[in-house]
Every structure is written in structure tokens, then in C-alpha cells.
Amino acid sequence: MKKTASFLWNMIGSSCYSLSSVLYLMVATRVCGAEEAGFFSLSYATAQLLLSIGRFGMRTFQATDLNSQYSYYEYLVSRAFSVAVMLVLGGIYSVASFDTKYIAISFFVVAMKSLDAIEDVYHGRMQQTYHIEQMGKSQFVRNLYTTICFSVTLVLTKNLLGTLIVSVVTSFVLCVALNNFIIKKFTLVNEKEKQVKVSSVIKLMKSCMGITLGTFLSLLLYNIPKYAMEGVLSSEYQTYYSILFMPAFVVTLLCEFVFRPTITNMADKWFLNDYRSFYRAFVLNVGVIVGASAVVTVAGHFIGRRLLEILYGVDLSSYKAHFIVLLIGGGVGACVYLFYNVLIAIRHGGSIKTVYAVTAVISILTVTPLITHFSMMGAALSYLLTEVVLLVFFTVILLTIFIKKKKSE
């Protein structure tokens, strides 16, 4: 019964989180117009990139810290530091890139995404203590509130900056109050868990540094086509690409509800040397992700693009092929994300940053020629190429680890 509840609530919470990004852009496009929505989209993409700094790659590391190598409060302190760095970098980026009111809008978009990083450390604790159903409930409530608050306030005021300020402040209060309540009620935080050693915090952040660099580079890879388009195509293409790309990104996020409830248990099986159960869970996760991605791609071909036109109020008839390419890339990206988390869970995450660094070089070298020759289709092809390269790298690494482990037995 508990497993069913965990799966259902994780699915509901992950779905709400994934769809919130879609709704933000949809409401901004309808209320603010394509040009200002394009700016919002670019700022949101940058905020998503900086979120990797805020989260600092700790979620899967914390959830699979089965022996409590670090205390709960040490995770909290390290997260407070990483979120502060995220906000500082967001402020520097905003001042350096924009002027007038757009500086404040850009910063508060980053601040809104920082809530995900704050919430993430609480969810890591819930997952570590096998309270995934509470994690899903928390994620559902907070994201539902933020989405409704953002949408209603923007529709009523037509003021994007004011809307962001109201959403950030009220959602922060809800996030901290709700998650602290759940932590106190469902997870036992004893005196040992409240201890904080500076040396341990530093060691924890050093342990996650490579994962953070890999995550940052992975999100940079998502956004390289958007940044490359900025220098080649006009601003409205940012909006069109973001609308078409959003379902592909959501495919990856939605697939989290498939493997997130299992990742802690998979780590447990790995370190208990129960490799048969581990491989069975791994293959099952891959199969479900591939099947779900295929269904989404087919559905996207027949009804997805038209549904986006209705939701966003724009004409996407010229971008049928672009949409399919992006959806396929989203499915490949979902498998990449699973492999990435498995590597962290079994403590073989050291190769992640190297893989993403090499792939980033390939992407940077190919994206501009692709966009120059194929316009927005070049951006879609660049995204697909990037995900395929990552999948090949991670597949080779995991197979090597599995083969070595089998030989060692």
C-alpha cells in the first residue's frame, strides 16, 4: 500500500512540477505578448541553468546516503550556501545582460527558481527516509500554489515584475513552513542529525562539486541552441522554440516519477551486492521510459502541436518536423537522466563532468553551423545530437562498470 501511495504521489508531484513550467510560459505569452514572453523564456532558461548551482547536485547523493555520512543539518547548511551563490550569480547575470526593469524581472525569475533548490533539500531528506509520498504531496501543494499565484496575479495586474515578486515571497513562506512541518512530523531528526561540522560541510560540497559541474553543463547543453539562436534569429523565434521545446523537457521531468521512487532502493541493492534485483530495476526503468517516450512522440505528432497552438495562442503549423525532433530528443534525454542518477547512486559520478564537458564542446562547435543552415530546425537537431552523444557516453560507462563488477564476482 505504501509503495502504491509513494508512486502515485510522486507522479502527481512530479507532474505538477513539470507542467508548471509550461503554464508559466503559456500565461506570459498570452498576457505579455510574444516579445516579452521571449525575454521571460530566455531568463527562465538561465534560471534553470543556475538552478544546478542552487541544488549543487546533492539530491540523489543525499537520497542515497543510506549510512547518514552527513547530518541533515549539514545538508541544510550546504544548501543555504549554494542557494546564496545562485542568487548572487543571478544578480550579476541580470545586471550584466539587461537594463531598466528587465534587470529586476530577470533576477526575480532566478529567485523563483531558487525555491526549487530550497525545496529540494527537504525532499532529499524525505526520500532518504523512505517518505516519498510526503515528498510528492509537498511538491504538489507548493507548485500548484506558485502556478496559480503567478497566473492569477499576472492576468489581473498585467505586471510581470510585480507578479514575480508576489509569487516569490509568498511561495517561499509556504515552502519553508510546509516542508519543515512534514520533516518534523514524519522524519526523526535526532540530536546527531542536528550537528554541523564545518569540515563535513566542506567535504560534502567537495564530494558534490563534480556532480554540480556535470549538472550545470547538462543544463547548459539544453540552452546552447537558445543562446545560439539569439545571435542568428529574431526574438520571436525564442518564444516558438521554447513552446515547442517545453514538452520535450517535460518528458524528461515526467520520467522522474518512474525512477525517483526506486533510486534509493536501487542504491541499497547495489551496496548489498544484490545485483540481480538492481539490474532488474534498472532494465525495467529503461523499458518504461522508452515506452512512455514513444507514446508521447506519437501523440505529439497527431495532437500535441495543435494543443500547443490552442494553449499558447500562436501558429505552429510551420514547425511540425521541429516538434517531432525535439520530442525524440526529450525521450533520449530521459534515458540520459536515468543513467546520470544511477551513476551518482552507485557512487561512480566522477565521470559525469568529463562526459558533459566533451559533449558541450561538440555542441558548441556544431550548433551555430546547424542554425545558420537550417534555421530553427538546426536548433532542434543540435538538441537531439547532444542527447544522443550523451546517451552513447553514459551507456559505455555503465556497461563498463557492470562488466567489471561481474568479473570481480
Side-chain angles (χ1 to χ4, degrees):
M1 184 69 181
K2 183 177 174 62
K3 285 185 177 180
T4 302
S6 297
F7 176 81
L8 288 175
W9 275 111
N10 181 67
M11 181 178 68
I12 293 169
S14 297
S15 299
C16 192
Y17 172 70
S18 303
L19 294 174
S20 64
S21 299
V22 178
L23 292 171
Y24 292 146
L25 182 59
M26 182 186 76
V27 175
T29 301
R30 285 193 168 274
V31 176
C32 304
E35 186 174 346
E36 191 167 13
F39 167 77
F40 174 80
S41 171
L42 186 61
S43 297
Y44 197 86
T46 302
Q48 191 72 42
L49 181 62
L50 292 173
L51 179 59
S52 62
I53 304 297
R55 286 176 169 167
F56 216 74
M58 283 185 192
R59 173 57 178 276
T60 302
F61 190 94
Q62 180 185 8
T64 54
D65 185 5
L66 303 178
N67 296 320
S68 297
Q69 181 181 0
Y70 301 100
S71 74
Y72 170 55
Y73 273 36
E74 285 167 349
Y75 281 107
L76 284 177
V77 170
S78 63
R79 186 56 52 89
F81 177 76
S82 63
V83 169
V85 173
M86 174 185 176
L87 292 173
V88 169
L89 292 175
I92 293 172
Y93 164 79
S94 300
V95 172
S97 303
F98 309 109
D99 54 20
T100 63
K101 69 173 183 178
Y102 289 112
I103 294 176
I105 290 175
S106 175
F107 175 77
F108 276 99
V109 170
V110 175
M112 187 165 71
K113 290 305 295 180
S114 74
L115 297 175
D116 294 343
I118 295 170
E119 190 174 60
D120 186 70
V121 71
Y122 295 116
H123 290 176
R125 173 65 178 180
M126 294 173 202
Q127 188 173 358
Q128 182 188 24
T129 54
Y130 296 95
H131 285 286
I132 295 172
E133 76 287 349
Q134 300 303 325
M135 177 188 76
K137 291 176 183 179
S138 165
Q139 194 172 37
F140 168 72
V141 170
R142 207 276 297 173
N143 281 282
L144 180 64
Y145 169 79
T146 305
T147 303
I148 292 175
C149 178
F150 177 88
S151 302
V152 172
T153 306
L154 186 59
V155 169
L156 292 177
T157 65
K158 308 290 191 297
N159 186 320
L160 184 56
L161 176 57
T163 295
L164 287 167
I165 293 173
V166 170
S167 299
V168 168
V169 173
T170 59
S171 295
F172 172 76
V173 173
L174 175 64
C175 173
V176 173
L178 174 63
N179 285 289
N180 272 318
F181 170 77
I182 294 174
I183 292 294
K184 289 178 181 178
K185 184 174 182 179
F186 293 97
T187 70
L188 297 176
V189 181
N190 54 39
E191 291 304 314
K192 183 179 179 181
E193 289 287 348
K194 293 180 180 179
Q195 294 177 1
V196 179
K197 297 179 181 178
V198 175
S199 59
S200 293
V201 173
I202 294 172
K203 184 180 178 182
L204 171 60
M205 300 199 77
K206 283 183 177 179
S207 298
C208 293
M209 180 64 73
I211 302 171
T212 303
L213 291 174
T215 306
F216 181 86
L217 288 170
S218 73
L219 290 170
L220 178 63
L221 289 173
Y222 285 139
N223 294 316
I224 282 175
K226 291 175 68 69
Y227 294 129
M229 284 168 57
E230 186 72 10
V232 179
L233 304 176
S234 55
S235 297
E236 62 266 20
Y237 282 100
Q238 288 284 356
T239 301
Y240 297 140
Y241 181 82
S242 296
I243 292 171
L244 292 167
F245 178 78
M246 194 65 73
F249 188 59
V250 168
V251 168
T252 301
L253 293 176
L254 284 175
C255 284
E256 282 190 57
F257 73 69
V258 175
F259 64 80
R260 180 178 282 173
T262 67
I263 199 73
T264 302
N265 190 52
M266 286 177 67
D268 192 29
K269 298 299 183 185
W270 179 266
F271 292 113
L272 288 175
N273 300 324
D274 185 1
Y275 301 119
R276 184 182 296 274
S277 297
F278 173 86
Y279 293 138
R280 187 185 300 119
F282 177 76
V283 172
L284 180 61
N285 278 323
V286 172
V288 172
I289 289 173
V290 170
S293 300
V295 171
V296 170
T297 301
V298 172
H301 174 68
F302 288 105
I303 62 173
R305 183 183 52 81
R306 181 57 186 153
L307 183 60
L308 289 175
E309 290 180 332
I310 295 172
L311 290 174
Y312 289 94
V314 294
D315 181 14
L316 301 173
S317 57
S318 301
Y319 305 111
K320 295 179 182 178
H322 306 64
F323 187 46
I324 299 303
V325 170
L326 288 170
L327 284 176
I328 294 172
V332 177
C335 283
V336 169
Y337 193 44
L338 168 64
F339 293 2
Y340 162 93
N341 278 276
V342 168
L343 283 169
I344 296 172
I346 63 177
R347 298 302 187 259
H348 282 275
S351 59
I352 288 175
K353 61 181 181 297
T354 304
V355 168
Y356 279 114
V358 173
T359 308
V361 172
I362 295 172
S363 180
I364 291 170
L365 291 175
T366 58
V367 65
T368 301
L370 283 170
I371 292 176
T372 302
H373 286 88
F374 300 106
S375 189
M376 203 167 83
M377 175 57 87
L381 290 171
S382 174
Y383 169 65
L384 177 58
L385 173 65
T386 295
E387 295 304 328
V388 169
V389 171
L390 287 172
L391 182 63
V392 171
F393 277 136
F394 281 138
T395 300
V396 171
I397 291 170
L398 280 172
L399 285 176
T400 302
I401 292 170
F402 294 162
I403 291 170
K404 284 183 178 179
K405 181 63 68 174
K406 187 173 182 179
K407 286 183 178 179
S408 68
E409 292 177 4

